[in-house]
Amino acid sequence: MDAMLISVVIPAYHAKKTIKKTISSICRELGSDILYEVIVVENGPEDGTRQVIEALAGHMPYIRLYHSVQGVSNARNEGMMHASGKWLMFVDADDELHPGSGKRLIEVMQTSEADVCLFGHQSGEKLRPVCSESEFYTGSEIEAVRIRMLEAPTRYMQVWAKLFRRQQVVAAGVLFEPELSMAEDSDFTFQYTAFCRSAAFYPDIVYDYHINPVSVMHAFDAQKVEAYIRAMTVMTERMSGESEAIQCACDQYILAHFHIAMVNGVFCTGNDVFCGEKVRRIRDTAGHPVFKKAIRRVSLKSGGWISRVTGLLLKGHLYGLLGVVYTLRVWQKRKR
C-alpha cells in the first residue's frame, strides 16, 4: 500500500461560505495519483461548516473532520495530532492552492530531501515569490536561512505556502502556541527551523492568499496591539540561547510586527479615534520594553529601504511622521 504523501490541515472557523472552494482547490491540484488527506478542524460555533464538510466527505473519502476548542492554534495542533502524511501543509479555510501548482508540489514532495520547503504565494493581483530560482541549504547554512526569514517575516514566516516534514515536527515536539492570537504561525515556523537540518526555496507560486476585510488580521480590534505584544514577548523568550546573529535578526522581526500592529490594529479601517490619539498609541507602544529594546538595538544598515526609514523614524521619536506612513499604507491596502 502506498504511503500517505501529505496531510493538508485546515482550521475552519465560520467557514461555511469558503471551505468548499478551498477543499476543491486542493483536490484539483493534488489529483488522484497520490495518497493524501485533507484534515479539516472545526473550531468555532456551529454555522453550517460541519454539514458542508460532511457532504463533501460523502464522495471524497480522503476528507477527515475533527473538532477543537476555539483558536486557530488549537485547531492546527488537533489536525497535526491526526495527520499521517510524510509532509504537512497548512491551508486557511478562505484560501486556495494556486491553479497549476499541484504538479510542482507533488514533484517536490516526492524528491526533496529538505526538512522545510518554501514557496511563493499570490495576494490579490500581486505575486510574491520567495526566490528567483531554486535554492537548497544544509548544515551550517541554516542559520543564514533563519536570519533571512526573520528579517522579512511577511515574506517567509507564515506557515502556509510551505511543506513541513511531519516526522521532524513530531520529533522536535513543535506545536502552535494556544496563548497567541497573532503571529502564532511565525512562532511555529521559528521553533521548527531551529530543528531543521536542511531547507529549500522554490520560485513557484503555490498558494492564493485571499484578503478578507473582516478577518482577524484585517478587522479593527482594540486588543490587537496587546496580542502582538504578547507574541513578541514570547519570541524574545525563545531567543534565549540563540546566537547573536539570530538575536539581531529578531530585532528586525519584532519591529516588522510593530509596524503590522500599527497598520492592522491602530490605523486600520474601523478605528475612528482622532489622529492624535493614534499617534499617542504609536508612542506608548514604542515605549513597551519588548519594542523599546528592539528599537534601540536594531541596525539601520539591514533590511529594505522601508524598514530602514521607519526604523529611523522610531529611533528619532518622529511618531507624527510615522502616523502619516501608516495612514498611507492603510490607504494603499484598501485601494488594492
Side-chain angles (χ1 to χ4, degrees), residues 284-333:
D284 291 348
T285 307
H288 188 281
V290 72
F291 290 123
K292 186 176 181 179
K293 180 180 178 181
I295 292 167
R296 185 180 71 248
R297 282 170 43 99
V298 73
S299 169
L300 299 180
K301 296 180 180 180
S302 58
W305 72 269
I306 293 178
S307 64
R308 291 197 296 269
V309 169
T310 51
L312 180 63
L313 294 176
L314 276 172
K315 284 180 177 289
H317 309 293
L318 300 173
Y319 305 126
L321 287 177
L322 264 176
V324 174
V325 173
Y326 295 143
T327 300
L328 290 174
R329 178 59 178 152
V330 170
W331 176 83
Q332 182 186 44
K333 291 175 64 177

Side-chain angles (χ1 to χ4, degrees), residues 257-276:
H257 283 86
F258 178 92
H259 302 315
I260 294 169
M262 293 299 105
V263 171
N264 291 338
V266 176
F267 286 80
C268 63
T269 302
N271 187 2
D272 297 325
V273 302
F274 291 117
C275 184

Side-chain angles (χ1 to χ4, degrees), residues 15-284:
K16 177 183 177 181
K17 295 180 180 180
T18 62
I19 190 67
K20 183 176 181 179
K21 196 172 182 181
T22 299
I23 293 175
S24 295
S25 77
I26 296 168
C27 301
R28 177 194 71 219
E29 295 307 319
L30 297 185
S32 58
D33 295 334
I34 65 167
L35 192 60
Y36 67 94
E37 59 185 355
V38 179
I39 299 174
V40 184
V41 184
E42 190 179 35
N43 67 314
E46 175 59 50
D47 73 328
T49 299
R50 176 175 56 83
Q51 288 85 345
V52 172
I53 298 168
E54 288 176 345
L56 290 172
H59 59 277
M60 296 178 178
Y62 38 79
I63 295 176
R64 318 272 188 260
L65 175 62
Y66 298 97
H67 304 270
S68 76
V69 296
Q70 191 166 321
V72 66
S73 291
N74 291 315
R76 287 172 175 156
N77 287 340
E78 182 74 18
M80 288 196 297
M81 185 174 68
H82 295 283
S84 58
K86 176 182 178 182
W87 297 96
L88 277 172
M89 185 180 220
F90 299 99
V91 176
D92 287 348
D94 52 358
D95 295 338
E96 301 171 50
L97 290 191
H98 190 71
S101 63
K103 182 178 179 180
R104 181 58 169 155
L105 278 170
I106 292 170
E107 178 186 12
V108 169
M109 287 188 288
Q110 291 177 331
T111 62
S112 179
E113 298 181 359
D115 290 328
V116 61
C117 302
L118 294 84
F119 300 87
H121 70 276
Q122 180 168 353
S123 178
E125 298 298 319
K126 187 173 183 180
L127 299 178
R128 302 194 69 188
V130 295
C131 59
S132 58
E133 58 184 32
S134 296
E135 305 169 13
F136 184 82
Y137 302 93
T138 188
S140 61
E141 299 171 319
I142 294 299
E143 178 171 271
V145 168
R146 299 179 76 208
I147 290 170
R148 170 179 171 181
M149 294 171 69
L150 283 167
E151 290 183 341
T154 59
R155 188 179 188 187
Y156 297 118
M157 294 295 285
Q158 68 278 352
V159 293
W160 36 262
K162 288 180 179 61
L163 294 171
F164 298 90
R165 195 173 291 275
R166 189 182 65 83
Q167 285 294 351
Q168 184 74 348
V169 173
V170 172
V174 178
L175 294 170
F176 288 87
E177 176 52 66
E179 297 280 324
L180 301 182
S181 59
M182 294 293 170
E184 76 291 330
D185 52 348
S186 296
D187 179 69
F188 177 90
T189 300
F190 177 76
Q191 290 185 75
Y192 179 67
T193 55
F195 295 94
C196 287
R197 298 158 298 186
S198 55
F201 292 73
Y202 298 97
D204 311 84
I205 303 296
V206 305
Y207 194 93
D208 287 349
Y209 174 71
H210 297 308
I211 299 175
N212 180 357
V214 298
S215 72
V216 171
M217 273 296 296
H218 300 283
F220 172 64
D221 181 350
Q223 300 303 312
K224 194 174 289 184
V225 173
E226 283 70 22
Y228 277 111
I229 289 173
R230 286 197 298 275
M232 295 306 102
T233 301
V234 168
M235 176 57 78
T236 300
E237 293 169 354
R238 296 204 193 284
M239 284 296 109
S240 177
E242 292 282 358
S243 69
E244 180 63 24
I246 292 288
Q247 293 189 38
C248 288
C250 186
D251 293 332
Q252 291 280 4
Y253 171 90
I254 290 173
L255 285 199
H257 283 86
F258 178 92
H259 302 315
I260 294 169
M262 293 299 105
V263 171
N264 291 338
V266 176
F267 286 80
C268 63
T269 302
N271 187 2
D272 297 325
V273 302
F274 291 117
C275 184
E277 175 61 23
K278 294 179 180 179
V279 172
R280 184 190 66 79
R281 192 65 189 273
I282 297 175
R283 184 193 66 226
D284 291 348

